[in-house]
Amino acid sequence: MTDDLSTLRSEAEAALAGAADLRALDAVRVAVLGKSGSLSGLLKGLGAVPADQRKDRGAALNRLKNEVEALLETRKAALEALALEARLKAERLDVSLPPRPFAAGTAADGGIHPISRTIEELTAIFGAMGFRVVEGPDIESDWHNFGALNIPDHHPARQDHDTFYLPGTDEAGQRRVLRTQTSPLQIRTMLAEPPPIRIIAPGRTYRADHDATHSPMFHQVEGLVIDRGITLGHLKGCLTDFLRAFFGISDLPVRFRSSYFPFTEPSMEVDIGWNRKTGELGGGGDWLEILGSGMVHPKVLANCGLDPREWQGFAFGMGIERITMLKHGMPDLRPFYESDLRWLRHWAADPLAPASLHEGI
């Protein structure tokens, strides 16, 4: 009986070696191991084998089955590698060739989203002033997002109807929150490194609001300067230069107006000149609020381990969508996130054109 198994093994080896592709290989598998296959037939016939030979016969058949399956897997891997190599040769793409022209109205050249371009311009302008970009998590602790910034427990921003809280707490037992501002990066930076500090923090933020000028998810950039001898004069000069460079208006009127924020003292709203009737920036005798700013509150410095008697600084924050809309005359915030190709083609920036500083710093 061992002769028939040796013959079957030799035939199976020859058939597997002769299989030229995966389809032929599967045909061999079915012929040998399928329900009606030669080896399966022998296994089914074990009942007719004399009882004293049945155990050895069954063991031999199982060994043969394992050997054939191993040979099958080896040949399959080899054929798959050959098929992949042939496919790679057939589907090779010469990336040095010019792109194929698209039919009119079916596609367009790629472009940079207005928000991404504004972030590039912010980085270029503030980078020329010596700022660097910092990034951090979108999910923050209640302390980083509110407590360290001197925002009291009763403040409206800490209520569930304004802020997205997540279930559970972090390792320190703090509630987790989708950050409502990028201010937590100011806290993280002051905790992680000694002054002097000069950073901007652009990124996504989240608030429970949605209409033509508000979105549940939007982008914000905040700036922080910490050093000895920092004054309001440094803040005013920095922001005036930025706004004039960003909007490309060298004589853009800029006004600083007293306000209140828990994390700055004194605090100031920053307005720019515009025409209420036409929407033109830089003229018309009207004022438009553009961002908030102020000197870093002594309690915020103390919360981060800095002595307010030695270190002073200023901070500011603005909505990236807002200044983008003002710069380009966009009337509605919602199309920023609707993926409308017509809108994107109209407002996208040339990816090969670097962000410029317009009038310079």
Side-chain angles (χ1 to χ4, degrees):
M1 288 188 180
T2 57
D3 293 340
D4 62 339
L5 298 187
S6 299
T7 301
L8 180 57
R9 189 183 194 284
S10 299
E11 292 175 351
E13 285 182 346
L16 291 172
D21 54 35
L22 293 174
R23 180 175 295 181
L25 184 69
D26 191 61
V28 174
R29 179 191 65 79
V30 173
V32 178
L33 299 175
K35 290 183 178 181
S36 301
S38 54
L39 183 54
S40 300
L42 294 177
L43 287 168
K44 292 177 181 178
L46 274 176
V49 176
D52 58 335
Q53 301 178 17
R54 190 176 301 155
K55 182 177 179 180
D56 293 338
R57 177 70 170 179
L61 286 171
N62 283 325
R63 284 195 300 271
L64 177 58
K65 180 181 179 182
N66 292 335
E67 291 172 0
V68 171
E69 288 177 343
L71 291 171
L72 184 68
E73 289 300 320
T74 301
R75 183 58 178 166
K76 181 180 180 182
L79 289 175
E80 287 178 342
L82 291 173
L84 178 60
E85 183 178 356
R87 183 180 175 185
L88 291 174
K89 289 181 178 179
E91 297 180 1
R92 179 176 296 174
L93 176 66
D94 187 351
V95 296
S96 66
L97 292 174
R100 297 174 182 173
F102 291 104
T106 59
D109 294 336
I112 297 178
H113 194 281
I115 292 177
S116 298
R117 174 43 59 96
T118 296
I119 293 175
E120 289 181 352
E121 293 178 352
L122 290 168
T123 302
I125 295 172
F126 283 112
M129 298 183 188
F131 287 75
R132 61 185 176 87
V133 175
V134 296
E135 297 178 326
D138 288 13
I139 299 176
E140 278 289 3
S141 70
D142 182 84
W143 187 81
H144 282 97
N145 196 79
F146 294 121
L149 291 162
N150 196 39
I151 299 177
D153 292 340
H154 61 268
H155 195 280
R158 302 186 76 156
Q159 305 306 311
D160 290 349
H161 59 75
D162 279 346
T163 299
F164 295 108
Y165 285 97
L166 302 179
T169 58
D170 61 12
E171 295 81 358
Q174 293 283 329
R175 294 182 70 184
R176 298 184 302 162
V177 59
L178 290 178
R179 64 182 183 187
T180 60
Q181 54 207 353
T182 56
S183 301
L185 292 177
Q186 299 181 23
I187 301 300
R188 289 181 176 272
T189 302
M190 287 189 282
L191 289 172
E193 59 188 69
I197 295 170
R198 189 174 296 191
I199 62 165
I200 59 169
R204 292 181 299 269
T205 53
Y206 309 85
R207 296 180 189 176
D209 205 354
H210 187 54
D211 55 40
T213 57
H214 297 86
S215 169
M217 187 283 295
F218 58 101
H219 295 77
Q220 192 177 54
V221 60
E222 299 206 7
L224 173 70
V225 172
I226 302 292
D227 207 337
R228 294 184 176 91
I230 296 297
T231 68
L232 279 175
H234 296 106
L235 167 61
K236 295 175 72 174
C238 174
L239 293 181
T240 299
D241 285 347
F242 160 71
L243 291 171
R244 289 174 175 173
F246 179 77
F247 290 110
I249 304 173
S250 59
D251 59 349
L252 177 69
V254 180
R255 180 179 72 173
F256 291 82
R257 176 169 42 85
S258 296
S259 185
Y260 167 76
F261 303 111
F263 32 81
T264 51
E265 180 60 38
S267 303
M268 295 181 295
E269 300 281 4
V270 183
D271 306 330
I272 59 174
W274 76 312
N275 189 314
R276 185 184 301 273
K277 293 182 179 180
T278 65
E280 178 186 2
L281 297 178
D286 299 313
W287 294 100
L288 178 66
E289 179 185 320
I290 193 76
L291 61 93
S293 64
M295 302 298 292
V296 179
H297 199 291
K299 288 186 177 180
V300 175
L301 293 172
N303 288 338
C304 297
L306 300 178
D307 186 350
R309 294 168 296 182
E310 179 181 3
W311 302 103
Q312 296 81 42
F314 64 81
F316 56 87
M318 69 193 88
I320 292 178
E321 285 85 347
R322 176 170 172 75
I323 61 175
T324 303
M325 293 170 68
L326 287 173
K327 181 173 182 175
H328 299 290
M330 300 173 175
D332 196 322
L333 173 72
R334 289 166 291 191
F336 277 100
Y337 316 112
E338 292 176 350
S339 300
D340 187 329
L341 285 178
R342 298 166 299 177
W343 188 91
L344 292 171
R345 288 171 188 158
H346 180 78
W347 295 110
D350 184 352
L352 300 180
S356 65
L357 300 185
H358 300 289
E359 296 295 329
I361 300 298

